[in-house]
Amino acid sequence: MSDVEEIKSRLNIVDVVANYLRLTASGSNHKALCPFHNEKTPSFMVNEDRQIFHCFGCGKGGDMITFIQEIERLSFFEALKLLADRAGVDLKQSQGSGQEREKKSELIKIMAESVIYYRKQLRKPEASRARDYLKKRGVNQELADRFELGYARDEWEGLKKHLLEIGFKQKQIEQTGLLSRSVNNPDSYYDRFRNRIMFPIANAFGAWVGFSARILPGDETPMGKYINTPQTVLYDKSRAIYGIQLAKEAIKKQDFSIVVEGNLDVILSFKTGVENAIAMCGTSVTQEQLKMLKRYSNKIVFAFDADQAGAEAAEKAIDLSLNLGMEVGVIEIDKIKAGTDVAEVVVNQPKKWQQAIRDYTSALDYYFNYFLKDFEDLNIAEKKQRIEAVLAKITQINSKIEQDYYIEELAHRTKAKSSTLFERIQAENINRTNQTTSEPTKDSTDKNELTSLEKLINRILVLIVLYPEKYFEKRSNPELDNYLKNKQRLRPSEQILKIILAKAIVFKKPISYLNMIEQESLKTHLARLITVGEKYYQEQEEVLDFDAKAELDFYLTRFKQIIKKQNQADLLADIKEAEQAKDKKLVAKLVRQYNELIKN
């Protein structure tokens, strides 16, 4: 049995992919949002029986090795080595030269040995100040062991000598970032980390890639409180996330991640049972880090320190997350009144930290509180500036319903005219639309970008024509029927769908539905959709065990959700008109209808 066959026999592709994505069962397959392109409707499929994946949006597909290559940006042999380590398979040396793979493997071994070395140093008498500091901050032995904390002694070549003694080469050690080169003697190297508490940083698979090192309280150094591993083959601060190897399962289970500022914030959060907390490495949150977290959940909650620097960091992180289409929340540390950072809150009032997570504020509510604080005390110019700042944040929301709600809220809190605010928002939305380039869709040959609803109608129509028995065998879709019945101006696909549903006939061949359509323009439109649809779903049937019923149910459910949102928007508009007309009874009635709609 070859190495590849041995690895595949021990690992399941569903488990491998689940380390990166939130999978949901769909018939005999598993679905997820594709990590290789932006999408809102899952088109990434994993087939357990065939041990393959395929995305019908971007076309990427293959086996578990291909998946690891793509998502980790690794060569074939690097991906093979990573999976071999997980499967407990020793790769044969004959498989290619694999020089880069071997080099990276050696560096990972050096990092692993360094973590062990620093952990041992933390237990020695010389590390008493480090242990006292951790104890004072609330880190017990169990937490120190779980996060594998260590201590770098106050000596120049302690780690270097240890690693050389067990057989590693100085050049390899230097490539991990553990050594610094002497300014006076370029051929001489010394330990980068000295007299510091060591926080090892792992990748998502648990391999150690770097360190964050904290100076002991009372010691002064021009190097700063924290120094980190420099950029290396293993460590990239723009992609590194502290605690991700321990938090990823909880993030998937809880369906949201909590981003805190420091390593101790993460560790002490775990102490309270909150294990979906992580901290970004580097000075600010990056798009690469957010994309990694998005693999596990699209929801993210930020809990930054209650100071100006924390507020500025939060704003940048929130905006970047919103632009990636993530659902964003904020925990305002200063409102907990139990400390200035997460670590202090956890030590002083652990239950308040747990409650704060349950009661987090949405991103826009946070911005309202932040920008409109002491609003009445500001002059006209300052008030205008604050209103503009909030409007800029509202435009980042994709949901029209949410935009309308927050504009009304802004008008209420600032006494500005809502009509003026709506005009500003509409102008901004048009601006953004003009700046956005549309992507081609598989649902139609039309050059113009389709709306989400149009795409869904096209999908539903094609599926009914190609697999009519899946729809008509259990006919109960009042939302779709009412939509087609009550809409005044139907698009071509909607006109065709209305005709087909009215007849409710199950034909064996799609061409029979073409013969039902009398208008030539509609017949041509349906013919184009059938041609594209047959090719698209034939590809699915060939690659995966395609379940047409599950596919149709998925799009019908999505259709219901969009219609519900539209109804909410209509009710909000009606409520606004009733408020302007000062019809209190009608307002009360419409509000009740709106609340009932939200509950259902």
Side-chain angles (χ1 to χ4, degrees):
M1 185 182 289
S2 69
D3 286 342
V4 172
E5 290 171 334
E6 180 71 15
I7 290 168
K8 288 184 176 182
S9 71
R10 296 191 187 189
L11 297 178
N12 187 325
I13 191 171
V14 173
D15 297 329
V16 171
V17 174
N19 272 301
Y20 294 90
L21 308 177
R22 186 180 178 84
L23 293 173
T24 54
S26 176
S28 59
N29 301 309
H30 291 78
K31 270 188 177 182
L33 291 171
C34 181
F36 307 123
H37 78 288
N38 290 327
E39 64 176 1
K40 293 183 179 179
T41 302
S43 60
F44 182 93
M45 307 285 285
V46 181
N47 185 280
E48 188 170 11
D49 293 336
R50 299 184 186 182
Q51 289 292 297
I52 60 171
F53 75 93
H54 185 80
C55 176
F56 294 100
C58 66
K60 288 190 183 293
D63 59 11
M64 64 176 72
I65 301 171
T66 312
F67 176 80
I68 293 297
Q69 280 184 266
E70 292 286 350
I71 205 157
E72 289 285 355
R73 300 178 185 177
L74 301 176
S75 68
F76 174 82
F77 291 113
E78 287 173 331
L80 196 67
K81 177 64 169 61
L82 190 151
L83 289 171
D85 290 342
R86 281 195 66 186
V89 173
D90 291 325
L91 294 177
K92 299 180 181 70
Q93 294 299 316
S94 59
Q95 277 197 326
S97 61
Q99 291 180 356
E100 286 299 314
R101 173 175 59 84
E102 288 303 322
K103 173 185 173 182
K104 206 167 185 178
S105 177
E106 282 300 298
L107 298 185
I108 288 174
K109 288 177 183 176
I110 292 171
M111 288 300 300
E113 185 59 42
S114 302
V115 172
I116 295 170
Y117 173 82
Y118 286 135
R119 287 188 69 189
K120 288 179 179 178
Q121 302 309 308
L122 185 59
R123 300 188 183 101
K124 293 183 177 180
E126 297 94 323
S128 59
R129 286 179 60 212
R131 291 195 300 273
D132 289 343
Y133 171 76
L134 290 172
K135 185 178 179 181
K136 183 180 178 181
R137 293 304 306 268
V139 180
N140 55 30
Q141 190 61 51
E142 182 184 348
L143 282 172
D145 289 342
R146 189 171 184 190
F147 284 86
E148 304 198 40
L149 305 186
Y151 174 66
R153 295 168 64 179
D154 191 11
E155 54 187 22
W156 292 91
E157 295 187 333
L159 176 66
K160 174 186 167 183
K161 287 179 178 178
H162 170 73
L163 293 174
L164 289 173
E165 284 172 3
I166 60 177
F168 294 112
K169 297 176 182 178
Q170 181 170 281
K171 185 178 179 181
Q172 292 175 319
I173 304 169
E174 190 271 334
Q175 289 173 341
T176 64
L178 292 167
L179 301 181
S180 293
R181 181 178 294 186
S182 171
V183 176
N184 299 324
N185 183 1
D187 295 327
S188 177
Y189 292 87
Y190 59 88
D191 289 357
R192 179 181 297 275
F193 305 111
R194 301 179 306 282
N195 196 29
R196 289 177 179 267
I197 298 171
M198 304 298 291
F199 298 84
I201 301 166
N203 62 20
F205 276 97
W208 301 114
V209 295
F211 287 98
S212 178
R214 192 199 192 285
I215 196 168
L216 295 177
D219 292 348
E220 293 184 6
T221 172
M223 298 290 288
K225 183 188 288 187
Y226 281 93
I227 58 173
N228 302 318
T229 296
Q231 190 84 3
T232 69
V233 174
L234 299 179
Y235 180 77
D236 179 351
K237 67 180 180 181
S238 69
R239 295 171 62 86
I241 299 175
Y242 183 74
I244 188 63
Q245 80 282 12
L246 299 175
K248 63 182 182 181
E249 292 303 322
I251 292 172
K252 288 190 286 186
K253 186 176 180 180
Q254 301 294 329
D255 195 21
F256 71 100
S257 56
I258 302 171
V259 180
V260 294
E261 269 198 71
N263 302 336
L264 281 174
D265 295 335
V266 174
I267 294 169
L268 292 170
S269 186
F270 270 63
K271 188 177 182 180
T272 68
V274 178
E275 298 192 354
N276 51 337
I278 49 86
M280 305 300 199
C281 298
T283 55
S284 61
V285 175
T286 68
Q287 193 174 67
E288 288 80 6
Q289 290 165 331
L290 291 172
K291 284 181 177 178
M292 181 181 290
L293 289 176
K294 195 174 179 181
R295 295 172 188 167
Y296 305 116
S297 173
N298 195 51
K299 189 186 297 183
I300 189 168
V301 177
F302 293 99
F304 287 151
D305 295 352
D307 54 21
Q308 185 61 31
E312 290 173 0
E315 184 176 356
K316 291 177 182 176
I318 292 167
D319 291 351
L320 197 56
S321 303
L322 289 173
N323 288 331
L324 285 174
M326 300 181 80
E327 185 179 336
V328 186
V330 181
I331 296 172
E332 298 180 69
I333 300 297
D334 56 331
K335 290 189 175 181
I336 303 175
K337 300 189 184 303
T340 58
D341 59 26
V342 172
E344 286 185 7
V345 171
V346 170
V347 171
N348 297 333
Q349 297 283 348
K351 289 185 178 179
K352 282 191 175 183
W353 171 237
Q354 294 170 330
Q355 186 62 42
I357 294 168
R358 291 192 289 269
D359 298 338
Y360 71 81
T361 306
S362 73
L364 262 293
D365 287 334
Y366 166 77
Y367 279 139
F368 269 73
N369 296 335
Y370 179 66
F371 287 111
L372 301 183
K373 185 180 180 182
D374 302 323
F375 186 78
E376 291 301 323
D377 299 331
L378 305 176
N379 60 40
I380 295 298
E382 290 170 331
K383 285 182 177 179
K384 180 185 176 184
Q385 189 178 31
R386 297 291 181 86
I387 291 172
E388 294 282 359
V390 177
L391 279 173
K393 304 305 180 185
I394 293 174
T395 59
Q396 295 183 50
I397 306 173
N398 293 324
S399 168
K400 180 72 167 58
I401 296 170
E402 286 187 68
Q403 280 194 356
D404 290 351
Y405 170 80
Y406 282 112
I407 291 170
E408 292 289 358
E409 180 67 14
L410 183 59
H412 173 71
R413 290 179 61 169
T414 63
K415 296 182 173 60
K417 285 187 177 180
S418 59
S419 57
T420 304
L421 298 179
F422 272 107
E423 287 174 8
R424 293 297 305 275
I425 285 288
Q426 286 170 355
E428 285 296 322
N429 286 340
I430 290 170
N431 250 354
R432 291 179 72 199
T433 302
N434 290 339
Q435 291 169 7
T436 304
T437 55
S438 60
E439 296 179 358
T441 173
K442 291 184 179 180
D443 296 314
S444 172
T445 56
D446 295 341
K447 293 181 180 180
N448 295 329
E449 183 181 7
L450 299 176
T451 65
S452 296
L453 189 57
E454 284 180 278
K455 289 180 180 179
L456 280 172
I457 291 292
N458 284 345
R459 289 270 186 173
I460 292 168
L461 173 59
V462 168
L463 282 163
I464 290 176
V465 169
L466 296 181
Y467 309 96
E469 71 283 356
K470 303 299 181 184
Y471 181 84
F472 290 113
E473 67 183 12
K474 189 178 180 181
R475 179 73 190 278
S476 178
N477 290 287
E479 291 85 1
L480 182 58
D481 292 337
N482 291 333
Y483 172 80
L484 295 172
K485 179 182 177 182
N486 298 324
K487 191 177 179 187
Q488 293 182 349
R489 295 182 63 183
L490 295 174
R491 298 185 182 92
S493 291
E494 294 166 343
Q495 294 179 49
I496 296 167
L497 191 56
K498 187 174 183 180
I499 294 168
I500 291 174
L501 295 186
K503 298 287 186 180
I505 302 173
V506 176
F507 289 117
K508 291 184 178 180
K509 295 183 178 180
I511 194 170
S512 300
Y513 289 103
L514 274 175
N515 297 330
M516 289 174 60
I517 310 301
E518 296 179 0
Q519 191 174 324
E520 282 302 317
S521 61
L522 293 181
K523 186 173 287 191
T524 302
H525 180 77
L526 180 58
R528 286 203 303 266
L529 288 178
I530 290 174
T531 302
V532 174
E534 282 183 323
K535 182 180 178 182
Y536 178 70
Y537 287 111
Q538 184 179 5
E539 182 185 356
Q540 289 209 41
E541 289 172 351
E542 288 174 355
V543 178
L544 299 169
D545 292 336
F546 176 63
D547 187 338
K549 180 68 168 60
E551 188 84 356
L552 184 56
D553 287 344
F554 175 83
Y555 290 118
L556 287 170
T557 300
R558 183 74 185 113
F559 171 81
K560 291 176 185 178
Q561 292 169 345
I562 289 180
I563 292 301
K564 182 178 178 180
K565 284 187 176 181
Q566 285 190 352
N567 291 338
Q568 288 175 349
D570 292 342
L571 276 172
L572 282 173
D574 292 341
I575 290 169
K576 182 182 174 183
E577 288 182 9
E579 285 176 338
Q580 290 174 344
K582 297 182 180 180
D583 189 337
K584 293 183 179 179
K585 288 185 177 179
L586 181 57
V587 169
K589 179 183 176 182
L590 292 171
V591 168
R592 284 196 298 272
Q593 291 178 7
Y594 183 79
N595 290 335
E596 192 64 33
L597 184 62
I598 292 175
K599 289 178 184 176
N600 294 332

